[in-house]
Amino acid sequence: MCGIVGFTGTKKAAPVLLNGLEKLEYRGYDSSGIAVRDGENNPVVIKAKGKLEALVEKTNGGETVVGSCGIGHTRWATHGEPSETNAHPHVTADMNVVGVHNGIIENFQELKDKLIRKGYDFYSDTDTEVAIKTIDYYYKKYKVGPIDALAKTMVRVRGSYALAVMFKDYPGQIFVARKESPMIIGVEDDSAYIASDVPAIMNYTRNIYYIDNLEMACVKPGEVVFYNLDGDVVPKEKKVAEWNVEAAEKGGYEHFMMKEIHEQPRVVADTIRRGLGGTVDSITDEGMGITDEDLKKASLLYVVACGSAYHVGMAAQYVLEDIANISTRVELASEFRYRKLPLDKNAIMVVISQSGETADTLAALRKAKEAGIRTLAIVNVEGSSIAREADSVFLTQAGPEIAVATTKAYTAQLIAMYMLAIKAGVARGVISGEEGARYVEEIKSIPTKIEKTIDDKERLQWFASKFSNITDAFFIGRGLDYAVCMEGSLKMKEISYVHTEAYAAGELKHGTISLIEENTLVIGVLTQAELIEKTISNMKEVKSRGAYLVGVTSYGNYVVEDSTDFTIYVPAIDEHFVASLAVVPLQLLGYYFAVARGLDVDKPRNLAKSVTVE
Ligand code: G6P
């Protein structure tokens, strides 16, 4: 969570920092701040509570801040409420060290007590102030310079961090350190950039260096040098970021979320292309990142993820078990990481993550690796921690996703999992090569069908405007449809703040039905022919208790229309893959509910896109 930027070069730093922070606001947005130095002068520190606009206004878009070296931060509060005092950057009383931090310092209280004994005062409630003052303490105690002070701090602190720090004696330089929390460095001509994520600096450079865990770097105009904990220089290779600048802009849409919903057809096509690895209809070992041999041997699949990525796993489970006849356990990473369970060494673990930085998912991946389990990561961000640590990687082709509520990354992950299921099915002899090819043809039809689904958006907008003041909604379905409900429910609650729940339709009668009142909105997803009648029965049960019924189904299932008050159709497709279509109207409903309620769709309260803390 939290976003960090840094710049050192020959132009004004503040506008670059603000521009970068704007691109990182999806990581946190309860307060922000910058520290900028003009030559050897002490840094000017400016902070503001609330969204970044407040800081932009305060600094006149950065124009009033003089200096060409600086750091910036947009915050998602962990320690200490959102306030100007708790906002970063944090400084020592003598301005010797100023820094920004992303992550959590777990032993901050112990360090703080020690520093207080050494004469330090604290003005904020943050763990970051403690980290900055610890660096200052070691810098002054050992007098060996910034890298040494950072290394000593890194040995002393427990937790996760990406730190960007400026030292009074080193004008024009920014020192960074990293453990777990993401951080990249870009170098272009006589400038250098620091950021938590690629979109923040894409406007300026594509030349990216990745700093690894427990490494530090000294960033100067046009130059970066990396160090390990012993202070030895670590050679690094430059990577060129593939994402383009337009992809991280709104491109005429009012919100990133709407733009990203519209990007789904392209994202699906690109992700399929990736899996096909140059062939027409067979999923290659290289394309998928895993061999037929491995899939054949696998005794079990663990699918581990958080949030919407977990919902992808839930939907994929039905497809994997049916098409590939492979037992699939879908687990929440935050639960899996701490559970004491017998792990099957012959299993494959698939972790799914957009950011590739979700702390719990990363921890689950490591747990599997320690147990000797082969790991495959379905990840959207190249060079992210998960992408680098997994045995093999399938890179989803969603491009930068900015809206906090995921849409296109979810869809791309789902496609990756379909491809895994088809590949595993063929590899394990459950389906023939021809059947596999037929399935591939079917998923190739998804982009056009998503487009058709989006075309119906005005009706959904109308519906949302009528119902936008409701307080509760229930999403019900069976089997794969239940998995779609989980994502639909999350989409609505996270951005519109309507209380929603997803329920396996058959479970309603075990408790939830007592919440149904006159006009309670119940959205049923009914796409699985075998289960439609069953879910309709459950919908009738709630209807007779006053519910207003919406049905989401595929063209052809006209029986749904007779039993619901409002029906949403998606194009017909092989039922295994229908989640890719059925989720789209639910994404749109969530979006339109939030817009109708006048909410900030792209930046819902209390949430952050990249959850790098436990
Ligand atoms: C956050 C995001 C979700 C995402 C989840 C997991 O909650 O808002 O959209 O599904 O984290 O993130 P990951 O980057 O691992 O997919």
Side-chain angles (χ1 to χ4, degrees):
M1 358 266 303
C2 299
I4 290 182
V5 289
F7 170 76
T8 179
T10 48
K11 59 189 168 199
K12 250 188 182 169
V16 179
L17 299 177
L18 292 174
N19 186 282
L21 289 178
E22 190 199 317
K23 306 278 183 325
L24 290 181
E25 241 195 321
Y26 67 85
R27 303 179 69 88
Y29 31 80
D30 54 42
S31 54
S32 55
I34 53 173
V36 177
R37 285 188 82 174
D38 183 20
E40 297 190 352
N41 291 344
N42 275 343
V44 179
V45 179
I46 307 165
K47 311 191 210 183
K49 187 181 168 204
K51 299 233 167 97
L52 184 66
E53 290 155 16
L55 184 66
V56 173
E57 258 173 44
K58 229 176 173 175
T59 57
N60 192 16
E63 286 310 320
T64 50
V65 189
V66 184
S68 55
C69 176
I71 51 182
H73 188 266
T74 173
R75 179 165 186 249
W76 186 87
T78 57
H79 292 64
E81 57 163 15
S83 68
E84 200 169 309
T85 311
N86 286 334
H88 303 206
H90 286 287
V91 293
T92 55
D94 58 1
M95 299 294 260
N96 184 45
V97 183
V98 49
V100 291
H101 163 226
N102 170 24
I104 289 184
I105 308 294
E106 285 165 6
N107 56 338
F108 84 103
Q109 193 57 52
E110 167 195 327
L111 292 170
K112 191 171 181 173
D113 294 345
K114 176 185 160 179
L115 290 170
I116 290 171
R117 287 198 299 276
K118 300 280 175 194
Y120 281 85
D121 288 328
F122 287 85
Y123 57 83
S124 77
D125 305 321
T126 64
D127 52 344
T128 305
E129 189 189 351
V130 178
I132 299 307
K133 291 184 175 172
T134 307
I135 297 169
D136 181 69
Y137 171 73
Y138 286 123
Y139 181 80
K140 287 174 179 158
K141 181 170 179 197
Y142 292 100
K143 302 187 176 59
V144 193
I147 291 294
D148 177 74
L150 277 174
K152 291 209 162 61
T153 307
M154 289 165 84
V155 171
R156 193 69 178 79
V157 301
R158 287 198 307 275
S160 58
Y161 47 82
L163 282 161
V165 183
M166 298 190 292
F167 291 78
K168 194 180 204 152
D169 306 332
Y170 293 79
Q173 300 185 32
I174 305 170
F175 293 86
V176 299
R178 171 182 185 225
K179 182 179 166 235
E180 311 296 353
S181 302
M183 157 102 77
I184 55 157
I185 294 150
V187 177
E188 187 82 36
D189 302 329
D190 53 4
S191 299
Y193 304 83
I194 294 162
S196 300
D197 202 353
V198 179
I201 58 176
M202 245 165 33
N203 272 334
Y204 307 105
T205 183
R206 303 283 177 78
N207 302 323
I208 305 291
Y209 294 89
Y210 292 101
I211 174 166
D212 278 303
N213 263 338
L214 291 177
E215 285 183 352
M216 297 159 284
C218 169
V219 183
K220 295 182 190 169
E223 188 191 337
V224 56
V225 183
F226 292 88
Y227 300 90
N228 64 19
L229 259 192
D230 297 325
D232 303 326
V233 170
V234 182
K236 286 271 166 179
E237 219 182 287
K238 181 178 80 184
K239 304 262 185 232
V240 179
E242 281 178 20
W243 288 352
N244 61 25
V245 177
E246 298 76 53
E249 307 283 349
K250 272 191 212 150
Y253 289 94
E254 201 180 333
H255 299 102
F256 277 111
M257 183 175 175
M258 194 45 130
K259 174 184 173 245
E260 289 162 2
I261 287 173
H262 278 84
E263 282 174 342
Q264 292 181 108
R266 198 267 307 149
V267 160
V268 170
D270 289 352
T271 303
I272 294 174
R273 211 168 296 126
R274 173 103 193 177
L276 294 181
T279 73
V280 178
D281 57 11
S282 72
I283 300 152
T284 61
D285 291 358
E286 263 207 350
M288 194 67 231
I290 193 141
T291 64
D292 283 347
E293 204 43 44
D294 280 332
L295 289 168
K296 209 161 142 184
K297 283 191 314 219
S299 53
L300 172 75
L301 285 188
Y302 294 107
V303 179
V304 183
C306 297
S308 295
Y310 168 75
H311 297 160
V312 167
M314 289 297 291
Q317 179 181 35
Y318 296 96
V319 186
L320 280 157
E321 292 192 330
D322 193 28
I323 293 186
N325 192 29
I326 183 163
S327 293
T328 305
R329 277 182 68 161
V330 187
E331 305 276 348
L332 286 166
S334 53
E335 289 291 315
F336 179 86
R337 65 180 291 189
Y338 292 118
R339 213 163 68 235
K340 297 188 176 80
L341 76 171
L343 285 172
D344 183 345
K345 281 199 173 40
N346 300 316
I348 293 176
M349 180 191 267
V350 183
V351 293
I352 310 174
S353 175
Q354 188 284 125
S355 62
E357 299 293 350
T358 302
D360 288 322
T361 311
L362 182 58
L365 170 81
R366 288 178 182 159
K367 177 169 171 163
K369 285 187 77 177
E370 266 164 34
I373 293 174
R374 180 168 174 69
T375 55
L376 166 67
I378 311 280
V379 178
N380 197 42
V381 179
E382 195 172 7
S384 58
S385 303
I386 291 175
R388 283 186 292 158
E389 291 191 28
D391 295 322
S392 43
V393 178
F394 180 97
L395 264 189
T396 48
Q397 302 294 300
E401 192 179 58
I402 309 296
V404 166
T406 180
T407 52
K408 62 173 180 170
Y410 167 93
T411 293
Q413 289 162 351
L414 207 47
I415 296 294
M417 293 302 279
Y418 295 161
M419 297 187 99
L420 183 67
I422 299 169
K423 185 170 177 60
V426 177
R428 298 164 72 84
V430 183
I431 54 171
S432 66
E434 291 74 47
E435 281 170 296
R438 261 205 309 280
Y439 281 137
V440 169
E441 279 314 307
E442 197 66 8
I443 61 173
K444 280 187 183 168
S445 74
I446 292 176
T448 325
K449 291 176 179 170
I450 291 182
E451 256 163 43
K452 286 216 175 85
T453 310
I454 296 176
D455 281 347
D456 197 26
K457 64 180 186 229
E458 277 74 23
R459 232 164 57 86
L460 299 174
Q461 184 174 19
W462 169 84
F463 177 82
S465 67
K466 294 255 167 256
F467 278 81
S468 64
N469 53 7
I470 58 169
T471 49
D472 306 276
F474 296 89
F475 290 71
I476 64 168
R478 286 169 185 255
L480 226 167
D481 290 334
Y482 171 47
V484 176
C485 286
M486 293 169 94
E487 180 59 8
S489 164
L490 178 63
K491 282 291 85 81
M492 188 175 286
K493 83 172 81 168
E494 68 182 335
I495 54 175
S496 75
Y497 315 151
V498 173
H499 160 246
T500 67
E501 283 187 44
Y503 249 79
E507 282 292 297
L508 268 183
K509 52 188 172 296
H510 297 294
T512 309
I513 200 161
S514 66
L515 296 171
I516 304 297
E517 293 174 354
E518 199 57 32
N519 271 329
T520 303
L521 180 62
V522 176
I523 300 176
V525 179
L526 311 98
T527 67
Q528 307 291 300
E530 256 185 27
L531 301 170
I532 287 181
E533 292 293 351
K534 306 270 173 216
T535 306
I536 286 182
S537 302
N538 301 128
M539 293 185 80
K540 285 189 173 150
E541 285 158 16
V542 290
K543 179 78 189 164
S544 60
R545 287 157 179 90
Y548 183 94
L549 297 185
V550 172
V552 179
T553 191
S554 307
Y555 280 109
N557 297 327
Y558 300 114
V559 51
V560 172
E561 193 156 339
D562 301 336
S563 317
T564 54
D565 299 304
F566 184 79
T567 314
I568 301 164
Y569 287 105
V570 298
I573 190 165
D574 181 293
E575 283 180 7
H576 293 102
F577 311 126
V578 76
S580 294
L581 307 181
V583 77
V584 176
L586 303 184
Q587 295 170 341
L588 288 163
L589 271 186
Y591 174 84
Y592 286 126
F593 264 72
V595 172
R597 290 160 75 95
L599 298 169
D600 188 343
V601 178
D602 287 335
K603 297 183 203 115
R605 70 182 176 210
N606 303 341
L607 294 177
K609 186 153 191 71
S610 185
V611 185
T612 51
V613 294
E614 286 192 39

